[in-house]
Amino acid sequence: MSARALSQHLCLLLQYPVVIATIFISGFGGSFQYGFSLSVMTSPSAFIKQLLNQTCVERYNLLLEEWQVSVIWSCTISIFCIGGLVGSLVVTSLNTRFGRKRCLLLNNFVAIFGAVLMVLSQTARSFEMIMVGRLVYGISAGVGILAHTRYLIECAPTKLRGMVGVSVATFVAAGKFSGQLLGIRELLGTEKNWHWLLGFNGFTALFQLLTLPFLPESPSFLLLERGDRKACETALKRLWGDKDFSKVVGEMLREKAAMQGVRDHSVLELFQNPTIRWQLLTIIATFISLQFCGINAVYFYCFDVFRAAGIDEDKLPYAALGTGLCEMLFSVVCFMMIESIGKMALLFSGCVGMCTALILLIVSLFLQNHASWMPYCSMVFIFIFIFFFSSGPAATIVPLPGEILTQPFKSAGYTLGCIINWAGLFVLGMGFPILAENIGNFCFIIFPVVCILCGLHIKCNVPETKNRTILEITAEFERMHSKASKKQSTEGDHGGITIHETKL
């Protein structure tokens, strides 16, 4: 990637100030809340467990044992995933009925309700309010991350779609980092203020609620689903400036003509349609890798690695803060360079890089007690892994269904991806600590396998999406795999051809 190409894409983005505003406003009420909810529970965990014990003593005169506290705590963490799965299942109908923008606006009320429960939980001395609040936050995140992604992709010019899509991952990373940062004891990670920390999502939702009404609705939604060409052209002018959009509208109309009389398909119909088999396999493979690439396991182990490197116990939260900061910074770097490199190239290199970093991390963890400098190697491998994750899967996978599926299948594709994501997060959250306790450092072994399998699938079966329309990408999928089918057919008939030529 040349500095000149990077400069050109940044200058191109600066020509669309309303698109930039859309990135920030939709991001804080969308994927930011998902990232924040993933990291925010670590810092106040001791205070929340204390509230749980106090509540049981006051109500039932019962002091919970340590294993009982652990079970309830695990349920509190995991119920977020249950809510996310529910949100993912209802967001498709909400997007279709209300539109992308209004869906995001309505979702803010859900997040604010969850925040109110969190803030009042300490005063009410109710641990149950935290659990319900986590469930509500999960529903909000399940709706928000999907509606945010689809709204951004449909508002971005084709040449900037990859760059804009990466911002979804950037705001997830920003949310994680913000949860870590606000959770330190100098800010909100105290016994007095932890409930305000848990309720912070309400402030980001309120910000979006006040600012999003000034932005236009998705032009694609207005034309393809509402059939309102005038409103579509008005939205395009607000987003992209006063230019000639006849080519863009023409492409949308061709897509509309192709889907004339075709409704939005369900997830089941997505599986049943043979014409999009490779797109379906791509969504399944990439979203599985998003959770099972090892990123959550690396975060789970980073405290042990930093502790072995000699970092004081009271400094560990600040060292972990560095991992969140790195993920956010690397995501910003990817945001700037993705249009020059290409999404599939980044995803492939990210998978290969993560696989290599994980193998080296496994070796360094195994040898950690054999050399005094080995923990520092482990720290380096953790940061290398985070770099490849931020520039690969995190940056490219979430927007992928909207880029490789035509309009009737987009909703089902996003829904399937989110179901896999939330189910994977739930399984990993419940199962990985048990796995780590029983097999130690070797619990990482499955993750390099997932990374390399996903990388090979991308390399062999998925075309580049950079600067291509949906119809062009669909045609490229057909070309790649019809060519493969013809080759297999030719190889299957090769013996008969040879005999025939010999007779001649």
Side-chain angles (χ1 to χ4, degrees):
M1 180 192 67
S2 66
R4 182 179 178 183
L6 173 59
S7 176
Q8 285 176 344
H9 284 103
L10 287 176
C11 290
L12 182 60
L13 179 62
L14 291 174
Q15 295 176 15
Y16 301 97
V18 179
V19 173
I20 295 174
T22 304
I23 290 172
F24 281 93
I25 292 173
S26 62
F28 277 113
S31 58
F32 178 92
Q33 294 190 22
Y34 168 76
F36 189 87
S37 295
L38 287 180
S39 67
V40 72
M41 296 295 282
T42 303
S43 173
S45 59
F47 306 125
I48 298 172
K49 290 175 182 178
Q50 183 182 354
L51 174 65
L52 170 61
N53 263 319
Q54 289 176 350
T55 301
C56 289
V57 169
E58 291 171 3
R59 290 184 192 170
Y60 314 112
N61 197 27
L62 174 66
L63 183 63
L64 296 176
E65 295 181 26
E66 186 176 344
W67 71 268
Q68 292 173 315
V69 174
S70 298
V71 168
I72 297 173
W73 177 251
S74 297
C75 292
T76 305
I77 298 298
S78 301
I79 202 170
F80 175 73
C81 303
I82 304 297
L85 185 59
V86 172
S88 300
L89 293 174
V90 302
V91 67
T92 299
S93 59
L94 293 176
N95 261 331
T96 303
R97 182 176 179 181
F98 298 109
R100 324 309 183 219
K101 175 183 165 182
R102 193 176 296 177
C103 180
L104 281 170
L105 283 171
L106 294 173
N107 190 49
N108 289 313
F109 291 105
V110 180
I112 291 172
F113 174 64
V116 170
L117 290 174
M118 293 295 196
V119 171
L120 295 178
S121 61
Q122 188 181 46
T123 305
R125 318 249 345 134
S126 172
F127 181 79
E128 296 85 351
M129 290 176 70
I130 297 176
M131 296 189 72
V132 176
R134 285 285 291 176
L135 178 66
V136 173
Y137 272 171
I139 295 171
S140 176
V143 172
I145 195 169
L146 196 98
H148 166 212
T149 302
R150 194 161 181 186
Y151 179 59
L152 267 188
I153 295 299
E154 293 178 0
C155 286
T158 303
K159 291 184 178 180
L160 294 174
R161 196 166 288 158
M163 179 182 281
V164 171
V166 170
S167 69
V168 175
T170 303
F171 277 96
V172 171
K176 289 181 184 177
F177 175 69
S178 298
Q180 294 171 328
L181 178 62
L182 292 175
I184 63 176
R185 59 177 174 268
E186 287 82 2
L187 295 175
L188 297 177
T190 64
E191 188 173 3
K192 182 181 178 181
N193 295 319
W194 63 264
H195 57 295
W196 290 107
L197 174 65
L198 297 186
F200 185 78
N201 273 353
F203 293 103
T204 59
L206 185 61
F207 167 77
Q208 189 182 82
L209 196 62
L210 296 175
T211 53
L212 189 60
F214 295 100
L215 297 177
E217 178 57 272
S218 154
S220 179
F221 167 78
L222 292 171
L223 183 62
L224 298 182
E225 297 188 32
R226 288 283 170 85
D228 193 339
R229 177 168 181 166
K230 184 177 180 181
C232 170
E233 292 176 346
T234 302
L236 285 171
K237 287 181 180 179
R238 289 184 63 190
L239 286 164
W240 302 353
D242 194 5
K243 302 174 183 177
D244 181 16
F245 300 112
S246 56
K247 183 179 179 181
V248 176
V249 174
E251 289 174 353
M252 290 186 187
L253 288 173
R254 281 195 294 274
E255 186 177 352
K256 183 177 176 65
M259 57 176 272
Q260 193 68 36
V262 178
R263 54 177 175 78
D264 275 354
H265 293 288
S266 66
V267 174
L268 180 60
E269 289 170 323
L270 187 67
F271 278 90
Q272 292 173 337
N273 194 311
T275 64
I276 53 170
R277 182 180 297 114
W278 287 101
Q279 289 93 320
L280 173 64
L281 290 173
T282 300
I283 291 170
I284 293 172
T286 53
F287 275 87
I288 286 176
S289 72
L290 187 61
Q291 286 302 331
F292 290 94
C293 66
I295 184 64
N296 293 307
V298 166
Y299 275 119
F300 179 83
Y301 256 78
C302 70
F303 266 52
D304 293 334
V305 171
F306 294 148
R307 191 180 290 114
I311 297 174
D312 294 336
E313 197 70 28
D314 60 339
K315 299 291 192 302
L316 288 177
Y318 303 96
L321 192 61
T323 61
L325 179 61
C326 283
E327 183 177 346
M328 186 175 69
L329 292 178
F330 293 150
S331 183
V332 172
V333 170
C334 181
F335 172 80
M336 294 188 290
M337 69 184 186
I338 191 168
E339 290 296 347
S340 300
I341 297 178
K343 297 189 74 170
M344 295 306 106
L346 275 176
L347 182 52
F348 173 71
S349 61
C351 288
V352 173
M354 286 190 301
C355 179
T356 306
L358 281 170
I359 292 172
L360 294 173
L361 180 60
I362 292 169
V363 174
S364 67
L365 288 172
F366 181 72
L367 299 174
Q368 195 152 284
N369 297 323
H370 293 73
S372 58
W373 47 267
M374 193 59 70
Y376 297 98
C377 291
S378 300
M379 289 176 64
V380 171
F381 297 144
I382 283 175
F383 285 109
I384 291 174
F385 176 85
I386 291 173
F387 165 74
F388 281 111
F389 173 77
S390 301
S391 61
T396 57
I397 290 176
V398 175
L400 194 59
E403 298 178 348
I404 64 175
L405 292 172
T406 53
Q407 192 72 18
F409 293 101
K410 280 184 183 180
S411 294
Y414 277 122
T415 301
L416 175 63
C418 284
I419 290 172
I420 295 171
N421 180 67
W422 287 108
L425 186 60
F426 179 81
V427 170
L428 203 62
M430 295 296 288
F432 181 76
I434 299 171
L435 199 65
E437 187 177 336
N438 285 280
I439 64 175
N441 301 333
F442 291 102
C443 63
F444 281 96
I445 288 177
I446 188 175
F447 303 126
V449 176
V450 172
C451 290
I452 200 64
L453 288 176
C454 178
L456 289 174
H457 174 80
I458 294 299
K459 184 70 175 178
C460 300
N461 299 312
V462 185
E464 180 54 67
T465 60
K466 183 178 71 173
N467 294 337
R468 287 178 172 174
T469 65
I470 298 290
L471 296 179
E472 289 170 344
I473 293 168
T474 302
E476 185 64 16
F477 264 109
E478 291 176 359
R479 187 195 65 79
M480 286 178 66
H481 297 294
S482 64
K483 184 177 180 180
S485 298
K486 287 178 182 177
K487 184 178 179 181
Q488 290 173 0
S489 176
T490 302
E491 288 173 352
D493 294 337
H494 186 66
I497 293 172
T498 305
I499 293 170
H500 183 64
E501 289 176 343
T502 303
K503 287 181 180 179
L504 287 171

